[in-house]
């Protein structure tokens, strides 16, 4: 019998709709009920570690989840499920993917409908995630996200819809596998599984998004002594308005790492265009192009890289390669 630890952190999966229609946290987690799941062949342990709406999650609380998982690994657990609010689920999942050894299945899940809504998806997603965490085929695949029968790599999955129960997708590679009536099947293997051991997280790492007519106001605002790094969601393949180049140069002069991703849903930022503000110029100035990560994931990776002491060329290489 497999032993699975469920770490609950809050979110819609643990909430209920109140009398006025608003969704609110419960004092008692409504899915923390092993009898409802009907999993007679799995020994489930529940840990109510946090009870936070996911916009309140931070890298520091993600670190708490990581430490709890490491403790469970040391105690011989066979797999871990983390329940989480969906707004920042992909960030916590990727943080865990970057900072945990790839030894046991770690699966993150949540819900789009609160526990007392018609068609609530929390119990189904939770049960599916437990089944994946207990599956031998889920080992050595990095941290996984299980949602609405799909199994996704934490590295690439993202929330694509504000309310649909089918919100989590990998826009580049699709699902790694599926859960169908308890049958866990994988069709793809994730490549690369490096991790970094950290015992703290740095702060003052910012994410900005480029837009038409953007000036240098926001970039100048983050040019402060305490700033550790900035991720910029650039246009297209990795281009910025010429109006921000002066502020870009000032940030680089202050030795603040600048990481470039695309604001597009899929595809990698690449230095293709040679016009003023184009990717070729941005790379020549010293910006790092980050492969195939969206802005929020790149920020999490930058936080992890800085927290484990990477600087200069080591930090550039770490951020430039999505597989590292």
């Amino acid at each position: 019998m497999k032993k699975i630890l469920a770490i609950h952190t809050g979110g819609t999966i643990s909430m209920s709709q109140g009398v006025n229609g608003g969704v609110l946290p419960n004092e008692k987690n409504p899915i923390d009920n092993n009898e409802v799941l009907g999993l007679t062949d799995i020994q489930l342990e529940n840990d109510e570690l946090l009870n936070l709406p996911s916009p309140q999650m931070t890298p520091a609380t993600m670190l708490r989840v990581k430490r709890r998982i490491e403790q469970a690994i040391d105690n011989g657990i066979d797999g871990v499920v983390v329940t989480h609010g969906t707004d920042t689920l992909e960030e916590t999942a990727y943080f865990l993917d970057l900072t945990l050894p790839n030894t046991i299945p770690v699966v993150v899940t949540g819900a789009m409908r609160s526990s007392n809504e018609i068609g609530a998806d929390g119990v189904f997603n939770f049960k599916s995630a437990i089944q994946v965490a207990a599956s031998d085929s889920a080992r050595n695949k990095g941290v996984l996200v299980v949602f609405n029968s799909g199994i996704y790599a934490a590295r690439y999955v993202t929330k694509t819809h504000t309310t649909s129960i089918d919100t989590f997708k990998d826009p580049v590679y699709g699902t790694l596998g599926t859960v169908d009536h308890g049958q866990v099947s994988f069709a793809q293997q994730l490549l690369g599984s490096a991790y970094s051991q950290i015992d703290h997280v740095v702060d003052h790492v910012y994410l900005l998004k480029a837009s038409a007519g953007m000036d240098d106001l926001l970039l100048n605002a983050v040019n402060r002594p305490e700033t550790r790094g900035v991720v910029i969601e650039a246009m297209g393949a990795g281009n910025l308005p010429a109006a921000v180049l002066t502020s870009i140069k000032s940030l680089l002069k202050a030795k603040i790492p600048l990481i470039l991703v695309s604001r597009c849903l899929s595809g990698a930022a690449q230095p293709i265009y040679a016009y003023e503000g184009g990717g070729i110029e941005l790379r020549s100035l010293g910006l790092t192009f980050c492969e195939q990560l969206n802005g929020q994931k790149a920020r999490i990776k930058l936080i992890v890289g800085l927290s484990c002491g990477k600087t200069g060329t080591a930090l550039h290489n770490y951020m430039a390669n999505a597989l590292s």
Side-chain angles (χ1 to χ4, degrees):
M1 181 177 288
K2 292 287 184 73
K3 294 186 296 181
I4 303 299
L5 171 66
I7 300 173
H8 302 287
T9 69
T12 301
I13 193 169
S14 64
M15 295 182 184
S16 294
Q17 204 170 36
V19 292
N20 295 323
V23 177
L24 296 166
N26 287 302
E27 290 186 11
K28 178 174 174 54
N29 191 338
I31 67 164
D32 188 354
N33 186 337
N34 295 0
E35 294 181 4
V36 173
L37 298 171
L39 296 170
T40 58
D41 57 340
I42 294 173
Q43 182 182 339
L44 182 65
E45 174 188 348
N46 288 284
D47 183 349
E48 302 287 343
L49 183 67
L50 300 167
N51 189 17
L52 294 174
S54 66
Q56 314 307 327
M57 290 292 289
T58 67
T61 52
M62 295 173 194
L63 186 64
R64 284 186 61 187
V65 178
K66 167 195 175 293
R67 288 172 172 160
R68 180 64 182 92
I69 295 172
E70 289 174 329
Q71 180 186 54
I73 293 173
D74 290 342
N75 291 335
I77 204 74
D78 294 308
V80 172
V81 171
V82 178
T83 64
H84 197 288
T86 59
D87 287 351
T88 60
L89 184 151
E90 65 189 270
E91 289 160 87
T92 295
Y94 189 49
F95 179 91
L96 298 175
D97 190 56
L98 291 170
T99 59
L100 286 172
N102 194 6
T103 53
I104 65 168
V106 175
V107 182
V108 186
T109 194
M112 293 300 292
R113 295 174 181 163
S114 59
S115 60
N116 60 344
E117 287 186 74
I118 294 174
D121 54 330
V123 172
F124 175 79
N125 286 341
F126 185 39
K127 182 175 182 178
S128 298
I130 294 167
Q131 291 167 329
V132 173
S135 172
D136 290 334
S137 60
R139 301 178 72 91
N140 303 312
K141 289 182 172 60
V143 173
L144 302 170
V145 170
V146 169
F147 223 91
N148 198 35
S149 296
I151 307 172
Y152 301 92
R155 185 185 300 159
Y156 299 121
V157 72
T158 192
K159 185 175 181 178
T160 64
H161 194 282
T162 55
T163 57
S164 170
I165 62 171
D166 197 30
T167 182
F168 281 95
K169 300 290 183 183
D170 177 342
V172 181
Y173 300 110
T175 61
L176 291 181
T178 57
V179 190
D180 187 3
H181 290 85
Q183 182 68 37
V184 178
S185 303
F186 284 92
Q188 296 193 69
Q189 176 71 40
L190 185 69
L191 298 177
S193 186
Y195 84 100
S196 300
Q197 182 59 260
I198 62 173
D199 58 10
H200 71 287
V201 287
V202 303
D203 51 14
H204 303 295
V205 177
Y206 302 108
L207 170 62
L208 302 178
K209 186 169 188 170
S211 58
M214 182 182 187
D215 58 23
D216 59 6
L217 178 66
L218 294 178
L219 287 165
N220 286 337
V222 298
N223 193 348
R224 301 174 59 86
E226 64 268 26
T227 297
R228 300 297 301 272
V230 179
V231 175
I232 304 172
E233 288 189 5
M235 301 167 176
N239 312 298
L240 293 172
V244 305
L245 290 177
T246 299
S247 53
I248 289 285
K249 292 173 184 176
S250 295
L251 285 162
L252 292 169
K253 186 176 180 180
K255 300 190 182 304
I256 296 172
L258 297 184
I259 312 301
L260 204 73
V261 299
S262 174
R263 68 181 194 176
C264 297
L265 180 62
S266 61
Q270 303 174 66
I272 296 173
Y273 291 95
Y275 54 73
E276 187 179 17
I280 290 175
E281 180 180 14
L282 296 175
R283 182 178 63 175
S284 70
L285 289 174
L287 278 76
T288 297
F289 282 68
C290 183
E291 289 182 0
Q292 294 184 330
L293 295 181
N294 59 26
Q296 54 268 35
K297 297 267 185 71
R299 176 178 174 268
I300 290 296
K301 189 170 189 181
L302 182 56
I303 289 171
V304 170
L306 292 167
S307 298
C308 66
K310 296 184 189 297
T311 59
T313 301
L315 181 64
H316 167 82
N317 292 340
Y318 176 72
M319 293 302 303
N321 184 1
L323 301 183
S324 63

